[in-house]
Amino acid sequence: MLFNMNQKEFVEKFSEEIEETKKWTHNTINSLFEFLSELLIDWQSVVFTNFWKFDSLIIQERKWVNPKTLEKIIIPKLNRVKFIPSKTLKSKLNK
């Protein structure tokens, strides 16, 4: 059976694993993800060898038509993040 884990649960389990306080763990994890966000803004991708890769993608502006009203609109340019698991991570998940 699969379960979802939220940030609070993750911090609790990880703090137990590394034997640190929950506050320290929470602050460290938040700092890590803030730093990753900044890197993705400045760079196109961030790679953790044997774990994963984050790619920053630019979705160009495009035209779209609402099928109900037939109103034509322009969807603005967007930035997206793409998560790509490594082969090693995929194989661990599929054992």
Side-chain angles (χ1 to χ4, degrees), residues 3-85:
F3 296 98
N4 291 325
M5 181 181 287
N6 63 29
Q7 183 178 359
K8 182 179 177 185
E9 294 166 337
F10 180 80
V11 167
E12 287 174 6
K13 288 204 176 280
F14 192 58
S15 64
E16 291 171 7
E17 181 72 25
I18 63 173
E19 298 177 357
E20 282 290 342
T21 65
K22 290 178 189 176
K23 183 176 182 179
W24 182 88
T25 305
H26 182 268
N27 290 339
T28 303
I29 291 169
N30 281 346
S31 296
L32 171 67
F33 283 106
E34 185 63 36
F35 184 65
L36 279 172
S37 299
E38 291 173 13
L39 286 175
L40 284 170
I41 291 168
D42 295 339
W43 298 82
Q44 289 293 303
S45 67
V46 177
V47 178
F48 286 79
T49 307
N50 294 326
F51 291 103
W52 58 70
K53 176 181 179 181
F54 291 104
D55 277 337
S56 178
L57 304 174
I58 298 172
I59 310 297
Q60 295 299 322
E61 181 180 277
R62 61 194 187 279
K63 295 176 184 176
W64 186 76
V65 177
N66 183 328
K68 287 186 176 182
T69 65
L70 300 178
E71 177 187 4
K72 295 179 183 180
I73 61 171
I74 295 177
I75 299 173
K77 180 173 94 169
L78 300 168
N79 293 318
R80 295 279 187 240
V81 175
K82 182 178 180 182
F83 171 80
I84 305 168

Coordinates of all heavy atoms in Angstrom, one line a residue, residues 3-85:
F3 N 1.6 5.3 0.6 CA 1.1 6.4 1.4 C 1.8 7.7 0.9 O 2.9 7.7 0.4 CB 1.5 6.2 2.9 CG 0.8 5.0 3.5 CD1 1.5 3.8 3.6 CD2 -0.5 5.2 4.0 CE1 0.8 2.7 4.2 CE2 -1.1 4.1 4.5 CZ -0.5 2.9 4.6
N4 N 1.1 8.8 1.1 CA 1.7 10.1 0.8 C 2.3 10.7 2.1 O 1.8 10.4 3.2 CB 0.7 11.1 0.3 CG 0.2 10.7 -1.1 OD1 0.9 10.2 -1.9 ND2 -1.1 11.0 -1.3
M5 N 3.4 11.4 1.9 CA 4.1 12.0 3.1 C 4.1 13.5 2.9 O 4.5 14.0 1.9 CB 5.5 11.4 3.2 CG 6.2 12.0 4.4 SD 7.9 11.4 4.5 CE 7.6 9.7 5.1
N6 N 3.6 14.2 3.9 CA 3.7 15.7 3.8 C 5.0 16.2 4.4 O 5.8 15.4 4.9 CB 2.5 16.3 4.5 CG 2.4 16.0 6.0 OD1 3.4 15.8 6.6 ND2 1.1 16.0 6.5
Q7 N 5.2 17.5 4.4 CA 6.5 18.0 4.8 C 6.7 17.8 6.3 O 7.8 17.5 6.7 CB 6.5 19.6 4.5 CG 7.8 20.2 4.9 CD 7.9 21.7 4.6 OE1 6.9 22.2 4.1 NE2 9.0 22.3 4.9
K8 N 5.7 17.9 7.1 CA 5.8 17.7 8.6 C 6.3 16.3 8.9 O 7.2 16.1 9.7 CB 4.5 18.0 9.3 CG 4.5 17.9 10.7 CD 3.2 18.2 11.4 CE 3.2 18.0 12.9 NZ 1.9 18.2 13.5
E9 N 5.6 15.3 8.2 CA 6.0 13.9 8.4 C 7.4 13.7 7.9 O 8.2 12.9 8.6 CB 5.0 13.0 7.7 CG 3.6 13.1 8.3 CD 2.6 12.4 7.4 OE1 2.8 12.3 6.2 OE2 1.5 12.1 7.9
F10 N 7.8 14.3 6.8 CA 9.1 14.1 6.3 C 10.1 14.6 7.3 O 11.2 14.0 7.6 CB 9.2 14.8 4.9 CG 10.6 14.6 4.3 CD1 11.0 13.5 3.7 CD2 11.5 15.7 4.4 CE1 12.3 13.4 3.1 CE2 12.8 15.6 3.9 CZ 13.2 14.4 3.2
V11 N 9.9 15.8 7.8 CA 10.8 16.5 8.7 C 11.0 15.6 10.0 O 12.1 15.4 10.5 CB 10.4 17.9 9.1 CG1 11.1 18.4 10.3 CG2 10.5 18.8 7.9
E12 N 9.9 15.1 10.5 CA 9.9 14.2 11.7 C 10.8 12.9 11.4 O 11.7 12.6 12.2 CB 8.5 13.8 12.1 CG 7.7 14.9 12.7 CD 6.3 14.5 13.0 OE1 5.9 13.3 12.8 OE2 5.5 15.4 13.4
K13 N 10.5 12.3 10.3 CA 11.3 11.0 10.0 C 12.7 11.3 9.7 O 13.6 10.6 10.2 CB 10.6 10.3 8.8 CG 9.3 9.6 9.2 CD 9.1 8.5 8.2 CE 7.8 7.8 8.6 NZ 8.0 6.8 9.7
F14 N 13.0 12.4 9.0 CA 14.4 12.7 8.6 C 15.1 13.1 9.9 O 16.3 12.8 10.0 CB 14.4 13.7 7.5 CG 15.7 13.9 6.9 CD1 16.4 12.8 6.3 CD2 16.4 15.1 6.9 CE1 17.7 13.0 5.8 CE2 17.6 15.3 6.3 CZ 18.3 14.2 5.8
S15 N 14.5 13.9 10.7 CA 15.2 14.4 11.9 C 15.6 13.2 12.8 O 16.6 13.2 13.5 CB 14.4 15.4 12.7 OG 13.2 14.9 13.2
E16 N 14.7 12.2 12.9 CA 15.0 11.0 13.6 C 16.2 10.2 13.0 O 17.1 9.7 13.7 CB 13.8 10.0 13.7 CG 12.7 10.6 14.6 CD 11.4 9.7 14.4 OE1 11.4 8.7 13.8 OE2 10.4 10.2 15.0
E17 N 16.2 10.2 11.7 CA 17.2 9.4 10.9 C 18.6 10.1 11.1 O 19.6 9.3 11.3 CB 16.8 9.4 9.4 CG 17.8 8.7 8.6 CD 17.7 7.2 8.8 OE1 16.7 6.7 9.2 OE2 18.7 6.5 8.5
I18 N 18.7 11.4 11.1 CA 20.0 12.0 11.2 C 20.2 12.5 12.7 O 21.3 13.1 12.9 CB 20.1 13.3 10.3 CG1 19.0 14.3 10.6 CG2 20.0 12.8 8.8 CD1 19.2 15.6 9.8
E19 N 19.3 12.2 13.6 CA 19.5 12.5 15.0 C 19.7 14.0 15.2 O 20.7 14.4 15.9 CB 20.6 11.7 15.6 CG 20.3 10.2 15.5 CD 21.4 9.3 16.1 OE1 22.4 9.8 16.5 OE2 21.1 8.1 16.1
E20 N 18.8 14.8 14.6 CA 18.9 16.3 14.8 C 17.5 16.7 15.3 O 16.5 15.9 15.2 CB 19.2 17.0 13.5 CG 20.7 17.0 13.2 CD 21.5 17.8 14.1 OE1 21.0 18.7 14.8 OE2 22.8 17.6 14.1
T21 N 17.4 18.0 15.7 CA 16.1 18.5 16.1 C 15.2 18.7 14.9 O 15.7 18.9 13.8 CB 16.3 19.8 16.9 OG1 16.8 20.8 16.0 CG2 17.2 19.7 18.1
K22 N 13.9 18.7 15.2 CA 13.0 19.0 14.1 C 13.1 20.4 13.5 O 13.0 20.6 12.3 CB 11.5 18.8 14.6 CG 11.2 17.3 14.9 CD 9.8 17.2 15.4 CE 9.5 15.8 15.9 NZ 8.2 15.7 16.5
K23 N 13.4 21.3 14.4 CA 13.5 22.7 14.0 C 14.7 22.9 13.1 O 14.7 23.5 12.0 CB 13.7 23.6 15.2 CG 13.8 25.1 14.8 CD 13.8 26.0 16.1 CE 13.8 27.4 15.7 NZ 13.9 28.3 16.8
W24 N 15.9 22.3 13.5 CA 17.1 22.3 12.6 C 16.8 21.7 11.3 O 17.2 22.2 10.2 CB 18.2 21.7 13.4 CG 19.5 21.8 12.6 CD1 20.4 22.8 12.6 CD2 20.0 20.8 11.6 NE1 21.5 22.5 11.7 CE2 21.2 21.3 11.1 CE3 19.5 19.6 11.1 CZ2 22.0 20.7 10.2 CZ3 20.3 19.0 10.2 CH2 21.5 19.5 9.7
T25 N 16.2 20.5 11.3 CA 15.9 19.8 10.1 C 15.0 20.5 9.2 O 15.2 20.6 8.0 CB 15.3 18.4 10.4 OG1 16.2 17.7 11.3 CG2 15.1 17.5 9.2
H26 N 13.9 21.1 9.7 CA 13.0 21.9 9.0 C 13.7 23.1 8.3 O 13.5 23.3 7.1 CB 11.9 22.4 9.9 CG 10.8 23.2 9.2 ND1 10.8 24.5 9.1 CD2 9.7 22.8 8.5 CE1 9.8 24.9 8.4 NE2 9.1 23.9 8.1
N27 N 14.5 23.8 9.0 CA 15.2 25.0 8.5 C 16.2 24.5 7.4 O 16.3 25.2 6.4 CB 16.0 25.7 9.6 CG 15.0 26.4 10.5 OD1 13.9 26.7 10.2 ND2 15.5 26.7 11.7
T28 N 16.9 23.4 7.6 CA 17.8 22.9 6.6 C 17.2 22.5 5.3 O 17.6 22.9 4.2 CB 18.6 21.7 7.2 OG1 19.3 22.2 8.4 CG2 19.7 21.2 6.2
I29 N 16.0 21.8 5.4 CA 15.3 21.4 4.3 C 14.8 22.6 3.5 O 14.8 22.7 2.3 CB 14.2 20.4 4.6 CG1 14.8 19.1 5.1 CG2 13.2 20.2 3.5 CD1 13.9 18.1 5.7
N30 N 14.2 23.6 4.2 CA 13.7 24.8 3.6 C 14.8 25.5 2.9 O 14.6 26.0 1.8 CB 13.0 25.7 4.6 CG 11.6 25.2 4.9 OD1 11.0 24.4 4.2 ND2 11.0 25.7 6.0
S31 N 16.0 25.6 3.5 CA 17.1 26.3 2.9 C 17.6 25.5 1.6 O 17.9 26.2 0.6 CB 18.3 26.4 3.9 OG 18.0 27.1 5.0
L32 N 17.6 24.2 1.7 CA 18.0 23.4 0.5 C 17.1 23.7 -0.7 O 17.5 24.0 -1.8 CB 18.0 22.0 0.9 CG 18.2 21.0 -0.3 CD1 19.6 21.1 -0.9 CD2 17.9 19.6 0.1
F33 N 15.8 23.7 -0.4 CA 14.8 23.9 -1.5 C 14.8 25.3 -2.0 O 14.6 25.6 -3.2 CB 13.4 23.4 -1.2 CG 13.3 21.9 -1.2 CD1 13.3 21.1 -0.1 CD2 13.3 21.2 -2.5 CE1 13.2 19.7 -0.2 CE2 13.3 19.8 -2.6 CZ 13.2 19.1 -1.4
E34 N 15.1 26.2 -1.1 CA 15.2 27.6 -1.6 C 16.4 27.8 -2.5 O 16.3 28.5 -3.5 CB 15.3 28.6 -0.3 CG 15.3 30.0 -0.7 CD 14.0 30.5 -1.3 OE1 12.9 30.0 -1.0 OE2 14.1 31.4 -2.2
F35 N 17.5 27.2 -2.1 CA 18.7 27.2 -2.9 C 18.5 26.6 -4.2 O 19.0 27.1 -5.2 CB 19.9 26.6 -2.1 CG 21.2 26.7 -2.8 CD1 21.8 27.9 -3.0 CD2 21.8 25.5 -3.2 CE1 23.0 28.0 -3.6 CE2 23.1 25.6 -3.8 CZ 23.7 26.8 -4.0
L36 N 17.9 25.4 -4.2 CA 17.6 24.7 -5.5 C 16.7 25.6 -6.4 O 16.9 25.7 -7.6 CB 16.8 23.4 -5.3 CG 17.7 22.2 -4.9 CD1 16.8 21.1 -4.5 CD2 18.6 21.8 -6.0
S37 N 15.8 26.3 -5.8 CA 14.9 27.2 -6.6 C 15.7 28.3 -7.3 O 15.6 28.7 -8.4 CB 13.8 27.8 -5.7 OG 13.0 26.9 -5.2
E38 N 16.6 28.9 -6.5 CA 17.5 30.0 -7.0 C 18.4 29.4 -8.1 O 18.6 30.1 -9.1 CB 18.3 30.6 -5.9 CG 17.5 31.4 -4.9 CD 18.3 31.8 -3.7 OE1 19.5 31.7 -3.7 OE2 17.6 32.2 -2.7
L39 N 18.9 28.2 -7.9 CA 19.8 27.6 -9.0 C 19.0 27.4 -10.3 O 19.5 27.7 -11.3 CB 20.4 26.3 -8.5 CG 21.5 26.4 -7.5 CD1 21.9 25.0 -7.0 CD2 22.7 27.1 -8.0
L40 N 17.8 27.0 -10.2 CA 17.0 26.7 -11.4 C 16.6 28.0 -12.1 O 16.5 28.1 -13.3 CB 15.7 26.0 -11.0 CG 15.9 24.5 -10.8 CD1 14.6 23.9 -10.2 CD2 16.3 23.8 -12.0
I41 N 16.6 29.1 -11.3 CA 16.3 30.4 -12.0 C 17.6 30.9 -12.7 O 17.5 31.4 -13.8 CB 15.9 31.5 -10.9 CG1 14.5 31.2 -10.4 CG2 16.0 32.9 -11.5 CD1 14.2 31.9 -9.1
D42 N 18.8 30.6 -12.1 CA 20.0 31.1 -12.7 C 20.5 30.1 -13.8 O 21.2 30.5 -14.7 CB 21.1 31.3 -11.7 CG 20.7 32.4 -10.7 OD1 19.9 33.2 -11.0 OD2 21.3 32.4 -9.6
W43 N 20.3 28.8 -13.6 CA 20.8 27.8 -14.5 C 19.6 27.1 -15.2 O 18.5 27.2 -14.7 CB 21.6 26.8 -13.7 CG 22.8 27.4 -13.1 CD1 22.9 28.1 -12.0 CD2 24.1 27.5 -13.7 NE1 24.1 28.6 -11.7 CE2 24.9 28.2 -12.8 CE3 24.7 27.0 -14.8 CZ2 26.3 28.4 -13.0 CZ3 26.1 27.2 -15.0 CH2 26.9 27.9 -14.1
Q44 N 19.9 26.3 -16.2 CA 18.9 25.5 -16.9 C 18.5 24.2 -16.2 O 17.4 23.7 -16.3 CB 19.3 25.2 -18.3 CG 19.3 26.4 -19.2 CD 17.9 26.9 -19.4 OE1 17.1 26.2 -19.9 NE2 17.7 28.2 -19.1
S45 N 19.5 23.6 -15.5 CA 19.2 22.4 -14.8 C 20.1 22.2 -13.6 O 21.2 22.8 -13.5 CB 19.4 21.2 -15.8 OG 20.7 21.0 -16.1
V46 N 19.7 21.3 -12.7 CA 20.5 20.9 -11.5 C 20.5 19.4 -11.5 O 19.4 18.8 -11.5 CB 19.8 21.5 -10.2 CG1 20.6 21.0 -9.0 CG2 19.8 23.0 -10.3
V47 N 21.7 18.8 -11.5 CA 21.8 17.4 -11.5 C 22.4 16.8 -10.3 O 23.4 17.3 -9.8 CB 22.7 17.0 -12.7 CG1 22.8 15.4 -12.8 CG2 22.1 17.5 -14.0
F48 N 21.8 15.8 -9.7 CA 22.3 15.0 -8.6 C 22.6 13.6 -9.2 O 21.7 12.8 -9.3 CB 21.3 14.9 -7.4 CG 21.2 16.2 -6.6 CD1 20.4 17.2 -7.1 CD2 21.8 16.3 -5.4 CE1 20.2 18.4 -6.4 CE2 21.7 17.5 -4.7 CZ 20.9 18.5 -5.2
T49 N 23.8 13.4 -9.5 CA 24.2 12.1 -10.1 C 23.7 10.9 -9.3 O 23.8 10.9 -8.1 CB 25.7 12.1 -10.3 OG1 26.2 13.2 -11.0 CG2 26.2 10.8 -11.1
N50 N 23.2 10.0 -10.0 CA 22.6 8.8 -9.4 C 21.3 9.0 -8.6 O 20.9 8.1 -7.9 CB 23.6 8.0 -8.5 CG 24.7 7.5 -9.3 OD1 24.6 7.1 -10.5 ND2 25.9 7.4 -8.8
F51 N 20.8 10.2 -8.7 CA 19.5 10.5 -8.0 C 18.5 11.0 -8.9 O 17.5 10.4 -9.2 CB 19.7 11.4 -6.7 CG 20.5 10.7 -5.6 CD1 21.8 11.0 -5.4 CD2 19.9 9.8 -4.8 CE1 22.5 10.4 -4.4 CE2 20.6 9.1 -3.8 CZ 21.9 9.5 -3.6
W52 N 18.7 12.3 -9.3 CA 17.7 12.9 -10.1 C 18.3 14.2 -10.8 O 19.4 14.6 -10.6 CB 16.5 13.4 -9.3 CG 16.8 14.3 -8.2 CD1 17.1 15.6 -8.3 CD2 16.7 14.0 -6.8 NE1 17.3 16.1 -7.0 CE2 17.1 15.2 -6.1 CE3 16.4 12.9 -6.1 CZ2 17.2 15.2 -4.7 CZ3 16.5 12.9 -4.7 CH2 16.9 14.1 -4.1
K53 N 17.4 14.7 -11.7 CA 17.8 15.9 -12.4 C 16.5 16.8 -12.4 O 15.4 16.4 -12.7 CB 18.2 15.6 -13.8 CG 18.5 16.8 -14.7 CD 18.9 16.3 -16.1 CE 19.2 17.4 -17.0 NZ 19.6 17.0 -18.4
F54 N 16.7 18.1 -12.2 CA 15.7 19.1 -12.3 C 16.0 20.0 -13.5 O 17.1 20.5 -13.6 CB 15.6 20.0 -11.1 CG 15.1 19.3 -9.9 CD1 15.9 19.0 -8.8 CD2 13.7 19.1 -9.7 CE1 15.4 18.4 -7.7 CE2 13.2 18.4 -8.6 CZ 14.1 18.1 -7.6
D55 N 15.1 20.1 -14.5 CA 15.3 20.9 -15.6 C 14.3 22.1 -15.6 O 13.2 21.9 -15.2 CB 15.0 20.2 -16.9 CG 16.2 19.4 -17.4 OD1 17.3 19.7 -17.0 OD2 15.9 18.4 -18.2
S56 N 14.8 23.2 -15.9 CA 14.0 24.4 -16.0 C 13.6 24.6 -17.5 O 14.4 24.7 -18.4 CB 14.8 25.7 -15.6 OG 14.0 26.8 -15.7
L57 N 12.3 24.5 -17.7 CA 11.7 24.6 -19.0 C 10.9 25.9 -19.3 O 10.2 26.4 -18.3 CB 10.7 23.4 -19.3 CG 11.3 22.0 -19.1 CD1 10.2 21.0 -19.2 CD2 12.4 21.8 -20.1
I58 N 11.1 26.5 -20.4 CA 10.3 27.7 -20.8 C 9.2 27.2 -21.8 O 9.5 26.7 -22.8 CB 11.2 28.7 -21.4 CG1 12.3 29.2 -20.4 CG2 10.4 29.9 -21.9 CD1 13.4 30.1 -20.9
I59 N 8.0 27.5 -21.4 CA 6.9 27.2 -22.3 C 6.5 28.5 -23.0 O 6.1 29.5 -22.3 CB 5.6 26.6 -21.5 CG1 6.0 25.5 -20.6 CG2 4.5 26.3 -22.4 CD1 6.5 24.3 -21.3
Q60 N 6.7 28.5 -24.3 CA 6.4 29.7 -25.0 C 5.0 30.2 -25.0 O 4.1 29.4 -24.8 CB 6.9 29.6 -26.5 CG 8.4 29.3 -26.6 CD 9.2 30.5 -26.0 OE1 8.9 31.6 -26.2 NE2 10.3 30.2 -25.4
E61 N 4.8 31.5 -25.2 CA 3.5 32.0 -25.3 C 2.7 31.3 -26.5 O 3.3 31.0 -27.5 CB 3.6 33.5 -25.7 CG 2.3 34.3 -25.8 CD 2.5 35.7 -26.1 OE1 2.8 36.5 -25.1 OE2 2.5 36.1 -27.3
R62 N 1.4 31.1 -26.3 CA 0.6 30.4 -27.3 C -0.8 30.9 -27.3 O -1.3 31.4 -26.3 CB 0.7 28.9 -27.1 CG 0.1 28.4 -25.8 CD 0.6 26.9 -25.6 NE -0.1 26.4 -24.4 CZ 0.3 26.5 -23.2 NH1 1.3 27.3 -22.9 NH2 -0.4 26.0 -22.2
K63 N -1.4 30.6 -28.5 CA -2.8 31.0 -28.6 C -3.7 29.8 -28.2 O -3.3 28.7 -28.5 CB -3.1 31.4 -30.1 CG -2.4 32.7 -30.5 CD -2.6 33.0 -31.9 CE -1.8 34.2 -32.3 NZ -1.9 34.4 -33.8
W64 N -4.9 30.1 -27.7 CA -5.8 29.1 -27.3 C -7.2 29.6 -27.5 O -7.5 30.8 -27.4 CB -5.6 28.7 -25.8 CG -6.3 27.6 -25.3 CD1 -6.1 26.3 -25.5 CD2 -7.5 27.6 -24.4 NE1 -7.0 25.5 -24.9 CE2 -7.9 26.3 -24.2 CE3 -8.2 28.7 -23.9 CZ2 -9.0 26.0 -23.4 CZ3 -9.3 28.4 -23.1 CH2 -9.7 27.1 -22.9
V65 N -8.1 28.6 -27.8 CA -9.5 29.0 -28.0 C -10.3 28.2 -27.0 O -10.2 27.0 -26.9 CB -10.0 28.6 -29.4 CG1 -11.4 28.9 -29.6 CG2 -9.1 29.4 -30.5
N66 N -11.2 29.0 -26.3 CA -12.1 28.3 -25.3 C -13.1 27.6 -26.1 O -13.9 28.2 -26.9 CB -12.7 29.4 -24.4 CG -13.6 28.8 -23.4 OD1 -14.3 27.8 -23.6 ND2 -13.7 29.5 -22.2
P67 N -13.3 26.3 -26.0 CA -14.2 25.5 -26.8 C -15.7 25.8 -26.6 O -16.5 25.7 -27.5 CB -13.9 24.0 -26.4 CG -12.9 24.0 -25.3 CD -12.5 25.4 -25.1
K68 N -16.0 26.3 -25.4 CA -17.4 26.7 -25.1 C -17.8 28.0 -25.7 O -18.9 28.1 -26.3 CB -17.7 26.6 -23.6 CG -17.7 25.3 -23.0 CD -18.1 25.3 -21.5 CE -18.2 23.9 -21.0 NZ -18.6 23.9 -19.6
T69 N -17.0 29.0 -25.5 CA -17.3 30.4 -25.9 C -16.7 30.8 -27.2 O -17.0 31.8 -27.8 CB -16.9 31.4 -24.8 OG1 -15.5 31.4 -24.7 CG2 -17.5 31.1 -23.5
L70 N -15.7 30.0 -27.7 CA -14.9 30.3 -28.8 C -14.1 31.6 -28.7 O -13.6 32.1 -29.7 CB -15.8 30.3 -30.1 CG -16.5 29.0 -30.4 CD1 -17.4 29.2 -31.6 CD2 -15.5 27.9 -30.6
E71 N -13.9 32.0 -27.5 CA -13.1 33.2 -27.2 C -11.6 32.8 -27.4 O -11.1 31.8 -26.9 CB -13.3 33.7 -25.8 CG -12.5 34.8 -25.4 CD -12.6 35.2 -23.9 OE1 -13.3 34.5 -23.2 OE2 -12.0 36.2 -23.6
K72 N -10.9 33.7 -28.2 CA -9.5 33.5 -28.4 C -8.7 34.2 -27.3 O -9.0 35.4 -27.0 CB -9.1 34.0 -29.8 CG -9.7 33.2 -30.9 CD -9.3 33.8 -32.2 CE -10.0 33.0 -33.3 NZ -9.7 33.5 -34.6
I73 N -7.8 33.5 -26.7 CA -6.9 34.1 -25.7 C -5.5 33.7 -25.9 O -5.2 32.7 -26.7 CB -7.3 33.7 -24.2 CG1 -7.2 32.2 -24.0 CG2 -8.7 34.2 -23.9 CD1 -7.4 31.8 -22.6
I74 N -4.6 34.5 -25.3 CA -3.2 34.2 -25.4 C -2.7 33.7 -24.1 O -2.9 34.4 -23.1 CB -2.4 35.4 -25.9 CG1 -2.8 35.7 -27.3 CG2 -0.9 35.1 -25.8 CD1 -2.1 37.0 -27.9
I75 N -2.1 32.6 -24.0 CA -1.6 32.0 -22.8 C -0.1 32.6 -22.7 O 0.7 32.3 -23.6 CB -1.6 30.5 -22.7 CG1 -3.1 30.1 -22.8 CG2 -0.9 30.0 -21.4 CD1 -3.2 28.6 -22.9
P76 N 0.2 33.3 -21.6 CA 1.6 33.9 -21.5 C 2.7 32.8 -21.4 O 2.4 31.7 -21.0 CB 1.5 34.8 -20.3 CG 0.4 34.3 -19.5 CD -0.6 33.6 -20.5
K77 N 3.9 33.3 -21.6 CA 5.1 32.4 -21.5 C 5.2 32.0 -20.0 O 4.9 32.8 -19.1 CB 6.3 33.2 -21.9 CG 7.6 32.5 -21.8 CD 8.7 33.3 -22.3 CE 9.4 34.1 -21.2 NZ 10.7 34.7 -21.6
L78 N 5.5 30.7 -19.8 CA 5.6 30.2 -18.4 C 6.9 29.5 -18.2 O 7.5 28.9 -19.2 CB 4.5 29.2 -18.2 CG 3.0 29.6 -18.4 CD1 2.1 28.4 -18.4 CD2 2.7 30.5 -17.2
N79 N 7.4 29.4 -17.0 CA 8.5 28.6 -16.6 C 8.0 27.4 -15.8 O 7.2 27.6 -14.9 CB 9.5 29.5 -15.8 CG 10.1 30.6 -16.5 OD1 10.5 30.4 -17.7 ND2 10.2 31.7 -15.9
R80 N 8.6 26.3 -16.2 CA 8.2 25.0 -15.5 C 9.4 24.3 -15.0 O 10.5 24.5 -15.6 CB 7.4 24.1 -16.4 CG 6.1 24.6 -16.9 CD 5.1 24.4 -15.8 NE 3.7 24.7 -16.2 CZ 3.0 25.6 -15.7 NH1 3.4 26.3 -14.6 NH2 1.8 25.9 -16.1
V81 N 9.2 23.4 -14.1 CA 10.3 22.6 -13.6 C 10.0 21.1 -13.9 O 8.9 20.7 -13.7 CB 10.6 22.7 -12.1 CG1 11.6 21.7 -11.6 CG2 11.0 24.1 -11.8
K82 N 10.9 20.4 -14.5 CA 10.7 19.0 -14.9 C 11.6 18.2 -14.0 O 12.8 18.4 -14.0 CB 11.0 18.8 -16.4 CG 10.8 17.4 -16.8 CD 11.1 17.3 -18.3 CE 10.9 15.9 -18.8 NZ 11.2 15.8 -20.3
F83 N 11.1 17.2 -13.4 CA 11.8 16.3 -12.5 C 12.1 15.0 -13.3 O 11.2 14.4 -13.9 CB 11.0 15.9 -11.3 CG 11.6 14.8 -10.5 CD1 12.6 15.1 -9.6 CD2 11.1 13.5 -10.6 CE1 13.2 14.0 -8.9 CE2 11.7 12.5 -9.8 CZ 12.7 12.8 -9.0
I84 N 13.4 14.6 -13.4 CA 13.8 13.4 -14.1 C 14.6 12.5 -13.2 O 15.7 12.8 -12.8 CB 14.7 13.8 -15.4 CG1 14.0 14.8 -16.2 CG2 15.1 12.5 -16.1 CD1 14.8 15.4 -17.3
P85 N 14.0 11.4 -12.8 CA 14.7 10.4 -11.9 C 15.8 9.7 -12.7 O 15.8 9.5 -13.9 CB 13.6 9.4 -11.5 CG 12.6 9.5 -12.5 CD 12.6 10.9 -13.1

